[in-house]
């Protein structure tokens, strides 16, 4: 018995020793040039002196994290291998400690390994995290012949409808950033700009679904961060980074043409990047038919055919200097300019009800839009320790966006005998302008081995001005009408502070944040019968995210976030747009700050052949800002905004990508929503299911020709007063590379299944119903040629600004798919 007891005690002692000798080695594997993490690299552990048989193996996680268990003491060699990269080895000594952090491990391209070898493994096109999903645009063959707007339809959780309205997770309350910096023009004219920009200019698109406390509380239910392919070096050895890369691209299409050029590189401690592009396109023969029926049977039918021409130009310049390994400074400047012209002829028939026997009238319309955006920023950052885990940064950003919209309506004859409406020739000239100055301070410090604390403060001065003029056209002359004009100013000062904790505890990681924003606002009417007023208010905004790593290639996450929306100048401006004699459009200066809440569960799984994401979320808001319309006592349709809409949206979204062979890839992106929208004050409600999805195939054909084809479909989508009909589009492209992949030639074809894009908008109230049918000729064939040049294969990382936009013209974070007037609204081409 004593012998058995002794053996048991010895076994327990041996087990204790063995357990005590089990060490978890942690760290992060990164690319030495891009500074990006290396996911799913192979980890092997060898006893020093014996490199034939590893004693342990695993892979790095989705964020390049290293978590390798090693049982024993002594000297070991730990190696890291990934496709096309050098085999990196580190020697470590274990003394029985429970954990050992080896910090950041850097790997690099192995030019000898890649030379003469066909690499058949694919770099993951989508990187999935609990709060973010990154789509690698350059790895998608369609990027060679598509625009950025085309590519957005393939990005998980993003959809683009037939009117080019962009939505993220079923909602339009999001911001668009370029290289980490906001652009007011892009946020208010996203679809028009992104469908003019070639996708070859973009490196990747990040969909940030829960931005956290570092980002503004306003309008950041989601962020689309577009990283341009004009990289500039940062934080690397200057001696190893000297060189340059560039590209030239041109596209000819049945809708117009576009061209672009980019150059980036580094010499010593200095880095630079520059990019320019121009696009000219047209859309002729768009047909619109609007039918409006009032409660008494009065019916108005307007038919119009119009032609639209658009031109867009953009230029960017970035400069940087790394003073030493600890301190760097960067400056950027960008200019965007867009011009649009729409000419149309309309005929309107009125009959029934108060129109009695009826009558008709004919008029021509001319609309010109000029949009300009200027952005500049400068920041200096310094690491506070040699591990580069603690830093402080100071950033200044300036932006201004002077815009102009002109409308001219001319009637074919004198309709003065028709007294129900004022059918007189008229001209309106609306000139809104926004100017913003931002100063931001950010501090990050580690808290323990794998935790960090971020603190920051921001001040924003934002000035909105809207100069709106109305002219009566008499005998061919424009006569200024001061009584129907307006000059309106809205000035805001915003002070914000935040604290955010990021922690990792074994398989769990968490992020908790709290942000406070206080706003001082002053509104004045230099022209117009309104009373000036001031107001100030504060908002406390919490956020929370929790992730559980089920396995190195599988995780489960949950998040909560609250967001606000301050009504911008479009929502508040009381100027009455009278360019259409049958309706009035104006803002509502009494709007309050919208507050909405978002709860989400996310599951991600990845293997070399199959990638899967599933997200379920619940969004709700009790004071949504939204558009509504009504008939006034003069039988004019009034369009304005309200703050008394309640909504509940349940969202189910999924993304799957399957690689059955080295030459075939299948992908599916789908989004299903159920919404309930109602307003007791307006006595309106609506509800229903809606769906959108993309199914794509990528195939490598003989002669290394890349073929891509896909189908996008969308069902009916709902809003408070009605719905927008669904649509479907088919695309296919062929791409061939020449001259060691320096020259790329792509041919792309796009067509709706109905030949032309046909869709309907329907709205109603207790006083009227309105149906608008739109026929858009979007069928297009384009040919794209791209030439890449340079003296190095290295790619230089683009500096990311720490400034997040505090204020800009945004759509309600609770608006549904297809709402006009939202971020990314535009008429498709």
């Amino acid at each position: 018995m004593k012998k058995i007891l002794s053996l048991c005690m010895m076994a327990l002692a041996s087990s204790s020793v063995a357990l005590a000798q089990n060490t978890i080695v942690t760290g992060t594997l990164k690319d030495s040039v891009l500074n990006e993490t290396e996911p799913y690299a192979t980890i092997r552990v060898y006893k020093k002196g014996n490199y034939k048989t590893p004693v342990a193996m695993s892979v790095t996680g989705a964020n390049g994290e290293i978590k390798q268990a090693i049982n024993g003491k002594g000297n070991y060699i730990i190696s890291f291998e990934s496709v096309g990269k050098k085999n990196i080895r580190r020697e470590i000594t274990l003394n029985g400690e429970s954990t050992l952090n080896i910090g950041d491990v850097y790997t690099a391209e192995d030019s000898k390994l890649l030379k003469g070898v066909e690499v058949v493994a694919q770099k993951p096109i989508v990187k999935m995290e609990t709060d973010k999903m990154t789509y690698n645009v350059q790895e998608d063959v369609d990027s060679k012949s598509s625009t950025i707007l085309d590519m957005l339809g393939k990005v998980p959780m993003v959809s683009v409808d037939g009117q080019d309205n962009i939505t993220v997770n079923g909602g339009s309350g999001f911001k668009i950033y370029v290289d980490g910096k906001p652009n007011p023009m892009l946020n208010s004219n996203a679809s028009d700009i992104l469908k003019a920009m070639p996708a070859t200019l973009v490196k990747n698109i990040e969909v940030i679904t829960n931005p956290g406390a570092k980002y503004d509380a306003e309008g950041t239910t989601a962020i689309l961060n577009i990283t341009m392919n004009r990289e500039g070096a940062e934080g690397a050895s200057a001696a190893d980074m000297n060189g340059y890369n560039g590209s030239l691209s041109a596209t000819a299409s049945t809708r117009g043409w576009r061209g672009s050029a980019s150059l980036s590189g580094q010499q010593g401690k200095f880095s630079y990047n520059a990019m320019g592009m121009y696009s000219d396109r047209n859309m002729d023969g768009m047909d619109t038919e609007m039918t409006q029926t009032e409660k008494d049977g009065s019916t108005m039918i307007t038919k119009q055919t119009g032609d639209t021409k658009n031109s867009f130009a953009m230029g960017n310049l970035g400069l940087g200097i790394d003073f030493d390994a600890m301190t760097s400074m960067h400056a950027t400047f960008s200019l965007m300019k867009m011009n649009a012209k729409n000419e149309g002829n309309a005929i309107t028939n009125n009959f029934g009800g108060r129109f009695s026997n009826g009558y008709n009238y004919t008029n021509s319309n001319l609309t010109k839009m000029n949009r300009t955006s200027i952005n500049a920023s400068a920041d200096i950052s310094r690491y506070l320790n040699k591990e580069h885990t603690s830093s402080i940064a100071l950033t200044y950003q300036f932006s201004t966006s002077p815009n102009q919209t002109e409308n001219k309506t001319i009637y074919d004859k004198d309709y003065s005998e028709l007294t129900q409406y004022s059918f007189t020739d008229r001209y309106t000239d609306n000139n809104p302008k926004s100017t913003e100055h931002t100063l931001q301070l950010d501090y990050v410090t580690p808290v323990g081995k794998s935790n960090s604390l971020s603190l920051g403060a921001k001040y924003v001065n934002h000035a909105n001005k809207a100069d709106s003029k109305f002219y009566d056209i008499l005998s061919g002359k424009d006569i200024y009408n001061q009584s129907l004009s307006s000059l309106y100013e809205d000035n805001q000062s915003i002070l914000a502070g935040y604290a955010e904790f990021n922690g990792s505890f074994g398989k769990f990681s968490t992020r908790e944040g709290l942000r406070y924003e206080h706003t001082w606002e002053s509104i004045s009417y230099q022209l117009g019968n309104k009373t000036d007023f001031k107001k100030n208010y504060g908002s406390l905004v919490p956020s929370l995210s929790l992730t559980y790593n089920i396995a190195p290639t599988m995780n489960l996450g949950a998040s909560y976030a609250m967001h606000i929306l301050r009504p911008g100048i479009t929502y508040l401006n009381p100027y009455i747009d009278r360019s259409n004699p049958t309706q009035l459009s104006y803002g509502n200066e009494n709007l309050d700050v919208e507050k909405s809440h978002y709860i989400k569960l996310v599951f991600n799984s990845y293997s070399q052949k199959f990638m899967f994401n599933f997200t379920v979320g619940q969004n709700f808001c009790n004071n949504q800002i939204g558009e509504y319309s009504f008939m006034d006592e003069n039988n004019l349709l009034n369009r304005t905004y309200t703050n008394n809409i309640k909504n509940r949206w349940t969202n189910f979204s999924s993304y799957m990508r399957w690689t059955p062979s080295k030459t075939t890839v299948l992908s599916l992106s789908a989004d299903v929503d159920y919404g309930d929208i109602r307003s007791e004050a307006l006595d309106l409600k609506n509800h229903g299911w809606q769906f959108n999805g993309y199914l794509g195939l990528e195939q490598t054909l003989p002669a290394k020709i890349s073929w891509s084809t896909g189908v996008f479909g969308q069902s009916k989508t709902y809003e408070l007063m009605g719905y927008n009909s669904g649509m479907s589009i088919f695309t296919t492209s062929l791409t061939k590379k020449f001259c060691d992949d320096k020259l790329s030639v792509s041919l792309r074809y796009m067509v709706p299944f109905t030949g032309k894009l046909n869709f309907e908008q329907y709205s109603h109230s207790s006083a009227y119903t309105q149906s608008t049918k739109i026929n858009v000729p979007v069928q297009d064939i384009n040919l794209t040629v791209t030439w890449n040049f340079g003296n190095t294969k290295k790619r230089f990382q683009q500096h990311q600004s720490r400034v997040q936009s505090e204020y800009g013209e945004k759509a309600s974070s609770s608006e549904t798919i297809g709402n006009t007037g939202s971020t990314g609204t535009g008429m498709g081409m």
Side-chain angles (χ1 to χ4, degrees):
M1 184 68 182
K2 289 182 179 180
K3 290 183 178 180
I4 296 174
L5 183 59
S6 298
L7 290 172
C8 291
M9 295 297 291
M10 292 175 63
L12 287 172
S14 299
S15 300
S16 300
V17 172
L19 288 172
Q21 293 176 350
N22 191 60
T23 302
I24 304 296
V25 178
T26 62
T28 306
L29 183 65
K30 294 183 177 180
D31 185 289
S32 62
V33 176
L34 298 178
N35 203 34
E36 294 179 342
T37 57
E38 284 286 326
Y40 316 119
T42 302
I43 304 174
R44 291 184 175 89
V45 181
Y46 301 91
K47 194 71 176 177
K48 187 175 182 181
N50 181 9
Y51 305 124
K52 292 184 178 180
T53 306
V55 297
M57 290 181 63
S58 66
V59 296
T60 58
N63 296 316
E65 62 265 30
I66 302 166
K67 290 185 179 181
Q68 176 65 63
I70 303 176
N71 189 4
K73 293 183 178 180
N75 296 324
Y76 293 87
I77 300 296
I78 182 169
S79 73
F80 305 91
E81 300 177 39
S82 55
V83 176
K85 298 297 178 69
K86 294 179 180 179
N87 189 345
I88 304 300
R89 292 188 174 189
R90 283 281 189 92
E91 182 177 345
I92 58 175
T93 300
L94 302 182
N95 297 309
E97 58 267 62
S98 59
T99 61
L100 175 65
N101 190 340
I102 61 175
D104 292 337
V105 180
Y106 290 94
T107 184
E109 288 185 1
D110 191 337
S111 57
K112 294 182 180 179
L113 177 65
L114 292 176
K115 186 176 182 180
V117 177
E118 180 184 2
V119 180
V120 297
Q122 292 186 340
K123 184 177 180 180
I125 198 169
V126 177
K127 181 180 178 182
M128 299 181 299
E129 303 170 58
T130 300
D131 298 327
K132 182 174 71 174
M133 188 171 291
T134 304
Y135 193 85
N136 191 329
V137 175
Q138 290 303 303
E139 291 298 313
D140 191 317
V141 66
D142 283 346
S143 66
K144 310 307 177 188
S145 58
S146 302
T147 67
I148 300 177
L149 190 70
D150 296 328
M151 299 304 300
L152 278 177
K154 301 178 68 174
V155 176
M157 295 181 287
V158 182
S159 66
V160 183
D161 69 9
Q163 300 175 72
D164 292 342
N165 298 307
I166 304 169
T167 55
V168 180
N169 261 4
S172 56
F174 64 92
K175 292 181 182 177
I176 299 179
Y177 286 52
V178 177
D179 292 327
K181 298 187 291 289
N183 183 296
M185 179 176 175
L186 191 59
N187 276 286
S188 59
N189 302 275
S191 62
D192 289 321
I193 295 173
L194 295 181
K195 69 184 175 185
M197 295 174 62
T200 51
L201 296 178
V202 174
K203 179 182 176 183
N204 58 51
I205 298 173
E206 291 179 322
V207 184
I208 306 174
T209 54
N210 186 11
K214 284 186 178 182
Y215 290 82
D216 298 335
E218 180 178 20
T220 49
T221 59
I223 289 175
L224 288 181
N225 183 37
I226 300 173
T227 303
M228 304 302 291
N229 208 15
R230 47 178 174 79
E231 297 90 348
E234 177 188 12
S237 172
D240 296 332
M241 296 291 287
N242 290 342
Y244 67 91
N245 289 312
S247 69
L248 298 171
S249 181
T251 298
S253 108
T254 54
R255 296 287 164 196
W257 67 275
R258 63 176 180 267
S260 65
S262 64
L263 180 68
S264 62
Q266 178 161 329
Q267 186 65 42
K269 294 183 177 182
F270 294 92
S271 61
Y272 58 88
N273 61 74
M275 186 270 288
M277 63 86 56
Y278 181 81
S279 169
D280 191 271
R281 53 193 168 81
N282 58 75
M283 182 177 61
D284 297 335
M286 185 178 74
D287 298 322
T288 304
E289 180 179 330
M290 187 273 289
T291 301
Q292 178 180 299
T293 304
E294 300 173 29
K295 190 175 181 180
D296 63 356
S298 303
T299 301
M300 177 186 300
I301 300 177
T302 300
K303 296 181 180 180
Q304 177 169 310
T305 298
D307 299 332
T308 300
K309 298 183 183 299
N310 292 276
S311 63
F312 173 76
M314 179 179 70
N316 290 279
L317 177 65
L319 300 172
I321 179 172
D322 295 326
F323 297 104
D324 50 43
M326 307 295 285
T327 308
S328 63
M329 185 174 183
H330 298 84
T332 63
F333 176 82
S334 66
L335 172 66
M336 293 185 181
K337 189 170 182 61
M338 181 184 70
N339 295 306
K341 181 180 179 180
N342 179 272
E343 294 182 274
N345 294 285
I347 181 170
T348 302
N349 288 287
N350 296 342
F351 57 89
R354 59 187 176 86
F355 297 129
S356 186
N357 295 329
Y359 58 87
N360 63 70
Y361 57 91
T362 303
N363 62 278
S364 62
N365 299 300
L366 175 62
T367 300
K368 294 181 180 180
M369 291 188 297
N370 299 297
R371 301 282 186 263
T372 303
S373 178
I374 300 172
N375 293 269
S377 69
D379 61 72
I380 184 168
S381 59
R382 178 173 177 81
Y383 291 108
L384 303 178
N385 58 4
K386 62 181 180 180
E387 295 83 8
H388 287 193
T389 56
S390 179
S391 66
I392 189 168
L394 180 65
T395 307
Y396 168 76
Q397 181 170 324
F398 167 80
S399 65
T400 183
S401 53
N403 300 318
Q404 182 183 32
T405 301
E406 299 175 89
N407 284 290
K408 181 172 288 189
T409 302
I410 305 294
Y411 292 89
D412 63 327
K413 64 178 184 179
D414 184 1
Y415 290 103
S416 57
E417 75 278 4
L418 304 177
T419 58
Q420 292 179 318
Y421 298 113
S422 176
F423 297 111
T424 57
D425 296 345
R426 61 195 63 197
Y427 164 61
T428 60
D429 184 10
N430 190 17
N431 294 268
K433 180 180 180 180
S434 296
T435 301
E436 184 176 283
H437 300 270
T438 301
L439 188 66
Q440 181 167 323
L441 180 67
D442 295 280
Y443 171 70
V444 180
T445 185
V447 182
K449 290 185 178 180
S450 55
N451 307 322
S452 67
L453 178 66
S454 300
L455 302 172
K458 174 192 274 190
Y459 173 75
V460 180
N461 179 268
H462 191 97
N464 284 309
K465 184 176 181 179
D467 186 4
S468 305
K469 300 181 177 65
F470 183 92
Y471 296 85
D472 295 301
I473 302 178
L474 303 175
S475 301
K477 295 183 179 180
D478 299 339
I479 307 300
Y480 176 61
N481 189 330
Q482 180 173 310
S483 64
L484 299 181
S485 301
S486 172
L487 182 57
Y488 166 86
E489 290 189 7
D490 177 12
N491 296 300
Q492 291 188 345
S493 294
I494 303 169
L495 185 63
Y498 74 86
E500 186 172 83
F501 173 79
N502 285 270
S504 180
F505 308 93
K507 291 189 174 183
F508 288 93
S509 58
T510 182
R511 184 184 69 194
E512 299 97 17
L514 192 63
R515 184 180 184 91
Y516 179 77
E517 299 183 350
H518 199 91
T519 304
W520 294 266
E521 187 168 12
S522 173
I523 296 176
S524 60
Y525 306 91
Q526 299 181 24
L527 182 62
N529 298 320
K530 296 286 183 178
T531 302
D532 298 352
F533 65 93
K534 296 181 179 180
K535 60 181 178 180
N536 70 86
Y537 49 88
S539 301
L540 188 64
V541 183
S543 61
L544 172 66
S545 176
L546 179 66
T547 301
Y548 174 67
N549 293 310
I550 303 171
T553 59
M554 188 180 300
N555 59 55
L556 182 68
S559 64
Y560 162 78
M562 172 186 166
H563 301 283
I564 66 172
L565 173 68
R566 302 179 186 90
I569 192 168
T570 299
Y571 294 114
L572 296 172
N573 188 1
Y575 170 69
I576 301 176
D577 184 355
R578 305 174 187 270
S579 57
N580 187 331
T582 66
Q583 61 181 253
L584 309 175
S585 299
Y586 48 91
N588 179 359
E589 66 266 34
N590 297 315
L591 294 176
D592 200 358
V593 178
E594 175 187 292
K595 297 181 179 180
S596 53
H597 305 266
Y598 296 79
I599 302 172
K600 294 180 181 177
L601 293 173
V602 181
F603 174 77
N604 295 316
S605 178
Y606 174 83
S607 69
Q608 288 295 336
K609 287 186 175 292
F610 187 70
M611 178 182 295
F612 175 73
N613 161 269
F614 181 75
T615 302
V616 57
Q618 179 68 42
N619 310 337
F620 59 93
C621 176
N622 292 323
N623 68 332
Q624 176 192 337
I625 297 174
E627 185 179 3
Y628 83 101
S629 54
F630 63 93
M631 301 294 296
D632 64 17
E633 65 276 6
N634 297 318
N635 298 308
L636 295 175
L637 181 66
N638 286 236
R639 296 183 179 275
T640 186
Y641 300 93
T642 183
N643 219 161
N644 51 26
I645 301 175
K646 294 182 178 181
N647 69 67
R648 304 289 184 271
W649 283 97
T650 303
N651 169 260
F652 305 91
S653 63
S654 181
Y655 177 80
M656 290 172 278
R657 185 175 176 87
W658 180 41
T659 309
S661 72
K662 67 179 183 180
T663 59
T664 305
V665 177
L666 289 167
S667 59
L668 172 66
S669 179
D671 188 278
V672 179
D673 307 279
Y674 178 79
D676 184 284
I677 319 140
R678 58 186 63 214
S679 172
E680 295 180 1
L682 302 177
D683 193 26
L684 292 170
K685 62 180 179 179
N686 204 358
H687 64 90
W689 290 91
Q690 55 190 43
F691 163 84
N692 71 78
Y694 175 83
L695 178 63
L697 167 67
E698 297 173 26
Q699 181 71 45
T700 301
L701 302 176
K704 295 184 179 180
I705 297 174
S706 299
W707 174 48
S708 174
T709 188
V711 177
F712 172 79
Q714 184 179 53
S715 70
K716 181 186 295 185
T717 57
Y718 295 89
E719 50 193 27
L720 176 65
M721 299 190 68
Y723 64 82
N724 295 303
S725 64
M727 47 82 72
S728 58
I729 288 179
F730 169 79
T731 64
T732 189
S733 68
L734 294 170
T735 300
K736 172 66 177 174
K737 293 183 178 180
F738 305 90
C739 306
D740 294 329
D741 292 346
K742 291 183 178 180
L743 177 65
S744 174
V745 180
S746 299
L747 182 66
R748 181 172 182 265
Y749 176 61
M750 180 186 73
V751 62
F753 280 99
T754 53
K756 288 187 177 182
L757 192 60
N758 301 306
F759 53 92
E760 179 183 2
Q761 299 172 320
Y762 173 80
S763 62
H764 75 282
S765 71
S766 59
Y768 79 99
T769 62
Q770 181 174 291
S771 175
T772 303
K773 296 179 180 180
I774 304 175
N775 183 294
V776 186
V778 298
Q779 183 174 339
D780 183 39
I781 302 174
N782 73 55
L783 177 68
T784 300
V785 179
T786 302
W787 174 258
N788 297 304
F789 61 90
N791 63 3
T792 174
K793 292 183 178 180
K794 297 180 184 297
R795 287 292 183 179
F796 309 114
Q797 182 181 353
Q798 173 66 20
H799 169 68
Q800 299 286 314
S801 170
R802 287 175 167 83
V803 170
Q804 317 301 342
S805 178
E806 186 73 38
Y807 190 98
E809 192 58 51
K810 312 169 191 72
S812 166
S813 59
S814 305
E815 288 183 11
T816 62
I817 293 176
N819 285 358
T820 58
S822 64
T823 299
T825 299
M827 190 58 66
M829 180 186 98

